[in-house]
Amino acid sequence: MEHIELFFKSIFIDNLIFATFLGMCSYLAVSKKVATAVGLGAAVIFVLAITVPLNWLLDVYLLKDGALVWLGPEYAEYDLSFLSFIMFIATIATMVQLVEIIVEKFAPALYNSLGIFLPLIAVNCAILGGSLFMQSREIQTLGLAFNYGVSSGIGWFLAILAIAAIREKIRYSNVPAPLRGLGITFIITGLMAIGFMSFGGMLTGGDEEKTTEQIVVVEPTQQKVEITKEAIDIAKNEKEIKE
Amino acid sequence: MGLLSKKDVKLITDPLADNNPITVQVLGICSALAVTAALKPSIVMAIAVMFVLAIGSTIISLIRNIIPPKIRIIVQLVIAAALVIIVDQILKAFAYELSKQLSVFVGLIITNCIIMGRFEAFALANSPWRSFLDGIGNSVGFGIILIIVGFFRELLGSGSLLGYPVLGSSVEKTGVYAYGYENNGFMLLAPMALITIGIIIWVQRSRNTALIEN
């Protein structure tokens, strides 16, 4: 159940582009044609699926507060979380390099369609952001971490596919000159983000009580995510008590 | 102006408008959108990026002749990551509430396209002093857009600036609220940041027609 919930939550509600704006630069630069957008999106799913679980392992067994306890009880107080940034980015850069070498050797067709994007992805905010959010939301198991990586990637893929399709179509529309290209893309992405906000009520309906879901619109999005998360936890606890 | 030649001054003034990292070079969009819900985080983010970009550019420029080309991305990432860790620790020590508000976006400065973009495009091929100036110029250009977006989002979204309610009190219905004005809470949400930047681009390209795409 948790898996399905995390899967849909990461694709639609916590969408990397529309909710947290990660990976905007390559999103804007590569979305001029659908074919290249598909290539980049697929590469992002691939890299996220590999790096998020790896970084989860790093976080749980090396970086977290008290993580080093498996080395010996005297290491229980070590908190290496300040090294997270450097460790995560090092893993990502290395994995991307490795993946590129492996794909080039064993699947040259895949390499020809993905290959040029792979080095670009190492510095894509979405990849590092996926790992950082995995850490800050305290994902509990390796399976959930893999789930989170894949579903965040799918959400990003959906977003870039949609904007590329729209951009291809509006090339023939009458956009005012100063808005042409970049300006109209921003506004369209904004409108799409508004559309995706409608998914916010998706996971809290059903036989749960109404009082558990209250999105307070005036607070910044960060807090909204935390409040909905708490609401879902409260709902889960209530369900357990009922059973 | 002994220290700054004409070309050097251009390094600082170009990124302010004509070669603005966000609206023209299309770099650094992620943080421009995410942290600008209020004015204070926008200012802090701009200062953080200035620290990382200016010092990072100088360091990369100083060692540019001894970096092996195959690992230059990794070297750039490591230097950026180290500087960002410093910024993050300083923020956590002196402004804890703010660092909670900025949360993962401080870490994401590492992959901020402006940092990697300027390292790659400028610092690797230019002298340390010019790289430093380029870093300052681009981060000020970045900061200007962040502050404009943060200003409008906070003013229209919560009726305050830097935390001080400037339009009167919405609870006691003083100031503008007495006439029935309500805060536009929508401005605080993600999509409006995108649309605000779209409008800024619109205004900029209307005034500087050289930037219009075909």
Side-chain angles (χ1 to χ4, degrees):
Chain A
M1 247 348 263
E2 256 181 65
H3 279 270
I4 301 186
E5 191 181 309
L6 183 64
F7 189 74
F8 284 108
K9 192 154 166 253
S10 311
I11 298 184
F12 294 109
I13 304 183
D14 291 336
N15 188 294
L16 281 179
I17 295 261
F18 295 128
T20 49
F21 308 118
L22 299 179
M24 281 305 286
C25 309
S26 32
Y27 172 87
L28 292 168
V30 175
S31 55
K32 295 204 175 106
K33 302 184 70 173
V34 174
T36 46
V38 167
L40 184 60
V44 165
I45 298 182
F46 200 34
V47 176
L48 270 174
I50 299 181
T51 54
V52 172
L54 258 179
N55 282 327
W56 184 89
L57 286 170
L58 259 182
D59 187 47
V60 166
Y61 292 112
L62 194 64
L63 296 170
K64 232 164 50 171
D65 195 3
L68 285 170
V69 85
W70 54 273
L71 265 184
E74 65 272 15
Y75 292 106
E77 271 117 48
Y78 281 45
D79 178 11
L80 292 176
S81 54
F82 67 94
L83 282 179
S84 307
F85 297 152
I86 252 188
M87 295 295 312
F88 285 174
I89 202 77
T91 333
I92 292 172
T94 326
M95 282 321 297
V96 168
Q97 190 64 37
L98 211 67
V99 162
E100 196 184 339
I101 295 177
I102 295 180
V103 166
E104 187 177 7
K105 185 132 204 312
F106 291 110
L110 185 62
Y111 181 71
N112 281 330
S113 51
L114 279 191
I116 28 164
F117 294 125
L118 282 181
L120 188 63
I121 287 180
V123 299
N124 189 332
C125 334
I127 312 293
L128 184 58
S131 294
L132 288 178
F133 276 123
M134 174 271 307
Q135 189 188 39
S136 78
R137 290 179 190 163
E138 291 175 14
I139 301 236
Q140 293 299 322
T141 71
L142 187 62
L144 279 177
F146 179 71
N147 183 338
Y148 182 69
V150 171
S151 49
S152 311
I154 294 180
W156 202 90
F157 175 77
L158 216 65
I160 200 176
L161 188 62
I163 195 73
I166 295 179
R167 278 184 94 172
E168 271 194 359
K169 292 240 149 75
I170 60 168
R171 263 218 306 263
Y172 304 109
S173 306
N174 220 347
V175 182
L179 267 184
R180 232 183 277 149
L182 193 61
I184 199 70
T185 309
F186 267 103
I187 296 187
I188 291 179
T189 312
L191 294 173
M192 283 166 74
I194 296 178
F196 264 69
M197 278 170 59
S198 64
F199 289 116
M202 192 168 77
L203 287 174
T204 52
D207 30 342
E208 256 63 87
E209 272 140 37
K210 277 284 165 67
T211 48
T212 55
E213 169 65 276
Q214 294 214 346
I215 300 180
V216 184
V217 173
V218 285
E219 285 172 13
T221 334
Q222 276 307 45
Q223 294 183 7
K224 185 174 80 143
V225 169
E226 281 164 14
I227 290 177
T228 17
K229 250 184 29 161
E230 272 170 31
I232 294 176
D233 288 346
I234 294 175
K236 268 202 252 174
N237 288 338
E238 286 189 10
K239 213 165 145 208
E240 282 169 22
I241 295 176
K242 272 191 215 156
E243 284 164 8
Chain B
M1 285 265 223
L3 210 51
L4 293 172
S5 71
K6 213 153 182 235
K7 267 194 340 180
D8 291 344
V9 174
K10 225 168 168 304
L11 278 179
I12 303 187
T13 56
D14 258 351
L16 294 183
D18 285 340
N19 201 16
N20 187 292
I22 294 188
T23 57
V24 180
Q25 297 178 52
V26 197
L27 302 171
I29 314 283
C30 319
S31 26
L33 300 170
V35 307
T36 47
L39 193 52
K40 209 197 248 177
S42 315
I43 298 181
V44 171
M45 175 61 92
I47 297 178
V49 167
M50 185 182 296
F51 178 80
V52 176
L53 189 55
I55 297 187
S57 278
T58 319
I59 296 179
I60 297 260
S61 178
L62 281 169
I63 59 173
R64 72 186 182 281
N65 292 319
I66 51 178
I67 301 177
K70 286 212 158 144
I71 58 164
R72 67 176 198 284
I73 301 240
I74 298 188
V75 171
Q76 289 166 7
L77 279 174
V78 166
I79 292 184
L83 287 169
V84 167
I85 290 183
I86 296 178
V87 169
D88 187 43
Q89 295 297 310
I90 293 180
L91 267 182
K92 281 202 184 126
F94 294 110
Y96 189 63
E97 278 310 310
L98 205 57
S99 85
K100 274 263 161 280
Q101 216 177 348
L102 287 175
S103 69
V104 298
F105 290 99
V106 177
L108 286 174
I109 298 179
I110 303 175
T111 47
N112 188 325
C113 323
I114 298 184
I115 311 269
M116 297 303 294
R118 293 325 286 174
F119 282 2
E120 187 81 8
F122 201 88
L124 276 182
N126 284 280
S127 70
W129 174 239
R130 302 195 74 222
S131 303
F132 178 73
L133 289 178
D134 177 78
I136 298 269
N138 275 285
S139 47
V140 172
F142 176 75
I144 288 180
I145 301 290
L146 240 64
I147 290 178
I148 295 178
V149 178
F151 177 82
F152 282 111
R153 281 181 83 190
E154 190 177 358
L155 187 64
L156 295 173
S158 21
S160 63
L161 280 179
L162 290 176
Y164 300 111
V166 292
L167 293 179
S169 159
S170 64
V171 178
E172 295 148 30
K173 299 280 179 239
T174 59
V176 200
Y177 298 98
Y179 300 104
Y181 173 83
E182 293 286 345
N183 285 328
N184 183 356
F186 202 43
M187 284 298 280
L188 293 174
L189 295 183
M192 288 316 291
L194 286 160
I195 297 184
T196 310
I197 296 195
I199 296 179
I200 293 178
I201 294 180
W202 195 352
V203 168
Q204 188 190 20
R205 291 190 182 186
S206 310
R207 304 183 65 213
N208 180 355
T209 50
L211 294 171
I212 295 181
E213 301 171 37
N214 289 323

